[in-house]
Amino acid sequence: MNTLISVIDIKNDFPILTREVHPGKSLIYLDSAATSQKPVNVIEAMNDFYRHSYANIHRGIHTLAEEATQMYEMSRLRIANFIGARSAREIVFTRNTTEAINLVAHAWARKILNSGDLVLLTEMEHHSNIVPWQMLSEERGIKIEFVPVLEDGLLDLSQYENLLKKNPKLVAFTHMSNVLGTINPVKPMTEMAHQVGAVVLVDGAQAAPHFPVNVSYLEVDFYAFSAHKMCGPTGVGVLFGGESLLESMSPFLGGGDMIRRVTLEGFQSNEVPHKFEAGTPPIAEVIGFGAAVDYLNKVGLQTISDHEHDLTHYALDCLSQIKWLHVLGPGHEYKGGVVSFTTDIAHPHDVAQVLDAEGVAVRAGHHCAMPLHQRFGVPSSTRASFYLYNTRKDIDQLIIALQRVKEIFG
Amino acid sequence: MDDFYREIILDHYKNPVHRGQLENSDFSFEDENPLCGDFIHIDLSMDDDGRVKDAVFHGHGCAISMASADLLLENIRGKSLEEVKNLSKQDILDWLGIELSPVRLKCALLPLKVVKAAVYQLNETNDKLVE
């Protein structure tokens, strides 16, 4: 059975995939949910920038400063188009998804929410979409409730409806679970939240890299994601915010570039999105991010999504043959390319160790989702995750490596 | 892989000799590694000369943490309290006989942390115990 992309060509774009991690064992990289590998064009875009056009942005008049500023703002525009924002003014560069969510917590929630106000989360959230709200709860007395996750790994949408009757001010949830792979119905959930007057923040860290996302269509108020999970460099992420919402917010960090004017008496904020980007940003990383978006657009997000869906379906079929292995979460109809599992015979650490010896890179632990693991009654799990550069052969290697686990621990 | 999961580790993991509980222990402590769910409870009883008479553990976790617990308790029998208090990370590594990454090192050192917290009669473990 052919995979949907010419994966040989894709693999050639990622130099690290030719690596041998142990003698005779080529790297089979199944940890893209943690971070993605980088194509050559992204690596070269950043190097070229440092070699030819690097300068500080926004304030210079000299040639390099102009070039750098143009390239930086062009990246912003490409990212805005990538997620269907109405304008580049709705794209704030942050360090990563975690910082983007914290920005909403500090610059919006901290000013708007009062003691007793309700924030609605879900049991499947990553810690980055739980802890900032818990911190705010300690500081401000906001209340937090969690939409339960059903046994099959889907959100309990009837409970979601009930919880909305408590009139939360903010509803924050993940587009796709980094453990279960569950893809949540963002558009209907957002509509329901808006009907009770809530603002909606969606964690898109696992979604934006893997399938087409259009924030204007979804009508979310805030959307957060990271470059490093979508073929871009570390050190840069995005908070998308509706323009009028961003305009109504106070700044996040204070300093240079986020101001229009400073005197000894006080300051005036700059316009959005610069209001939220204090200090010198990760300039080369933003340019690398733009190159990553170009690369993904060239392959096509729908193509990537279809390819991953095929891999996930294949993986689940293969894994279902292994009687001592249990996959968490839904079947392939609701699942993105993230497959977490436990086994009857070995602890996730030991599974990951054996798999590594076979060249297969997976992740073991709680994946920054301890409440979710508690809900399923397991302390930790092993997670394999796929991206455009994976193939059915990679999954075959995973299965072979799992047989080694049985040989050693069975 | 045979190097890592050597006979000694698999043997102590699959067939631990020192699993159990003591009704009347002189020192007792338990701790977990919340990052991965390794959990260990250790009971020690001393003889009249102040040396370790019985040492048992119960718990659940990865092969490294469980094998480390079994090896540790095997080796502390007959040791004085002072000798137990002086046990270090290197002793654990010598008994396991393999190189460990930072993550697996945490697994290996959990039993030692628990034993030390027990004999020092602390309220909680800390990393300084296993330097």
Side-chain angles (χ1 to χ4, degrees):
Chain A
M1 165 86 200
N2 292 325
T3 48
L4 295 164
I5 321 181
S6 168
V7 186
I8 308 299
D9 292 341
I10 303 276
K11 273 204 196 259
N12 285 339
D13 292 336
F14 293 82
I16 204 170
L17 295 179
T18 57
R19 230 204 99 153
E20 268 193 3
V21 285
H22 294 292
K25 302 287 181 187
S26 288
L27 172 65
I28 311 281
Y29 187 76
L30 299 179
D31 198 21
S32 293
T35 195
S36 65
Q37 298 299 347
K38 318 303 172 200
V40 160
N41 79 304
V42 168
I43 301 169
E44 282 178 354
M46 292 173 64
N47 282 342
D48 287 348
F49 178 67
Y50 276 127
R51 282 177 191 276
H52 296 120
S53 301
Y54 177 77
N56 209 330
I57 58 171
H58 289 153
R59 284 176 238 76
I61 291 179
H62 61 83
T63 301
L64 291 185
E66 291 265 346
E67 272 179 26
T69 301
Q70 239 212 356
M71 290 171 76
Y72 184 90
E73 293 301 332
M74 276 307 295
S75 269
R76 191 194 302 273
L77 183 58
R78 296 210 305 286
I79 289 152
N81 290 336
F82 181 75
I83 57 159
R86 271 161 299 251
S87 94
R89 285 189 297 282
E90 298 184 319
I91 302 297
V92 176
F93 286 123
T94 61
R95 198 169 64 175
N96 46 34
T97 304
T98 299
E99 192 176 271
I101 296 173
N102 276 272
L103 197 165
V104 176
H106 283 271
W108 180 80
R110 217 156 159 225
K111 305 291 159 78
I112 301 288
L113 300 186
N114 298 309
S115 177
D117 281 344
L118 177 62
V119 167
L120 189 56
L121 308 173
T122 81
E123 281 181 338
M124 63 166 72
E125 294 313 303
H126 185 282
H127 295 164
S128 63
N129 200 20
I130 299 179
V131 177
W133 312 114
Q134 291 174 332
M135 286 166 68
L136 205 55
S137 182
E138 275 174 26
E139 188 194 313
R140 287 261 152 147
I142 59 154
K143 299 259 167 291
I144 304 175
E145 295 223 31
F146 296 85
V147 181
V149 174
L150 298 169
E151 200 54 38
D152 61 4
L154 302 181
L155 279 182
D156 186 343
L157 292 174
S158 63
Q159 260 303 86
Y160 176 60
E161 220 179 319
N162 279 340
L163 287 165
L164 285 176
K165 292 178 186 149
K166 297 188 176 191
N167 291 320
K169 294 285 191 291
L170 173 71
V171 171
F173 60 95
T174 183
H175 199 154
M176 178 169 128
S177 164
N178 71 313
V179 175
L180 304 172
T182 307
I183 299 173
N184 290 318
V186 171
K187 188 163 170 72
M189 284 178 72
T190 301
E191 211 171 303
M192 289 163 74
H194 282 161
Q195 269 161 22
V196 301
V199 165
V200 175
L201 159 65
V202 171
D203 169 3
Q206 296 296 336
H210 297 281
F211 50 84
V213 169
N214 188 313
V215 293
S216 299
Y217 169 72
L218 296 173
E219 297 188 286
V220 295
D221 300 296
F222 294 113
Y223 196 86
F225 56 104
S226 297
H228 73 91
K229 292 201 209 274
M230 48 188 281
C231 296
T234 49
V236 61
V238 170
L239 175 68
F240 156 82
E243 197 170 340
S244 49
L245 188 53
L246 290 181
E247 275 168 357
S248 74
M249 285 159 62
S250 353
F252 177 37
L253 300 173
D257 221 19
M258 46 70 67
I259 48 92
R260 181 187 303 255
R261 189 173 156 74
V262 184
T263 65
L264 291 179
E265 283 75 45
F267 75 99
Q268 259 183 322
S269 298
N270 206 343
E271 51 188 17
V272 300
H274 307 290
K275 181 166 79 172
F276 301 105
E277 296 179 4
T280 300
I283 308 170
E285 282 75 8
V286 165
I287 277 127
F289 196 177
V293 164
D294 291 343
Y295 182 79
L296 293 176
N297 281 335
K298 196 179 77 166
V299 180
L301 263 289
Q302 191 55 52
T303 305
I304 293 172
S305 171
D306 293 340
H307 175 75
E308 280 177 34
H309 190 88
D310 175 72
L311 289 181
T312 306
H313 197 163
Y314 181 64
L316 291 178
D317 279 347
C318 294
L319 292 170
S320 67
Q321 315 282 344
I322 304 178
K323 296 306 163 195
W324 44 265
L325 185 148
H326 313 287
V327 174
L328 299 170
H332 69 93
E333 301 87 355
Y334 298 100
K335 210 182 187 74
V338 168
V339 178
S340 300
F341 58 88
T342 58
T343 72
D344 296 331
I345 61 171
H347 189 282
H349 277 171
D350 296 315
V351 173
Q353 194 82 60
V354 174
L355 260 41
D356 171 67
E358 301 299 312
V360 179
V362 297
R363 191 152 286 259
H366 54 67
H367 317 300
C368 296
M370 282 172 100
L372 182 61
H373 281 80
Q374 271 157 29
R375 183 255 172 264
F376 281 97
V378 296
S380 57
S381 59
T382 311
R383 180 185 71 185
S385 51
F386 316 124
Y387 207 3
L388 72 169
Y389 38 68
N390 292 119
T391 63
R392 283 190 172 207
K393 267 173 128 178
D394 292 341
I395 292 164
D396 292 337
Q397 286 302 118
L398 169 66
I399 302 299
I400 291 171
L402 285 170
Q403 296 310 329
R404 280 294 287 147
V405 174
K406 180 85 165 93
E407 281 164 29
I408 296 173
F409 288 97
Chain B
M1 190 74 312
D2 298 322
D3 288 336
F4 192 91
Y5 286 109
R6 289 166 58 202
E7 283 303 316
I8 188 172
I9 290 175
L10 282 178
D11 198 35
H12 283 275
Y13 174 58
K14 291 183 185 176
N15 308 303
V17 179
H18 300 278
R19 265 197 182 269
Q21 288 176 254
L22 288 177
E23 286 284 312
N24 301 308
S25 57
D26 293 309
F27 298 103
S28 229
F29 204 77
E30 66 184 33
D31 199 16
E32 61 168 345
N33 182 348
L35 298 182
C36 65
D38 291 344
F39 167 81
I40 297 189
H41 176 107
I42 289 180
D43 293 319
L44 303 176
S45 70
M46 315 297 282
D47 63 22
D48 297 328
D49 295 324
R51 294 183 169 274
V52 176
K53 186 172 74 161
D54 275 318
V56 291
F57 79 98
H58 68 267
H60 50 84
C62 67
I64 297 299
S65 68
M66 297 294 106
S68 178
D70 204 48
L71 277 164
L72 169 63
L73 297 186
E74 183 165 294
N75 281 290
I76 66 172
R77 285 201 170 186
K79 284 204 185 332
S80 69
L81 209 54
E82 253 337 280
E83 285 171 320
V84 175
K85 285 183 176 180
N86 284 333
L87 287 172
S88 74
K89 175 167 100 179
Q90 196 51 50
D91 293 308
I92 299 285
L93 291 175
D94 289 341
W95 293 328
L96 285 172
I98 50 167
E99 282 183 31
L100 290 169
S101 66
V103 172
R104 300 318 298 276
L105 194 57
K106 271 194 149 71
C107 307
L109 294 178
L110 180 63
L112 182 61
K113 269 185 175 176
V114 172
V115 162
K116 285 212 158 172
V119 298
Y120 276 110
Q121 296 184 298
L122 302 176
N123 285 328
E124 54 182 27
T125 61
N126 65 66
D127 285 339
K128 290 211 203 94
L129 292 170
V130 292
E131 261 156 18

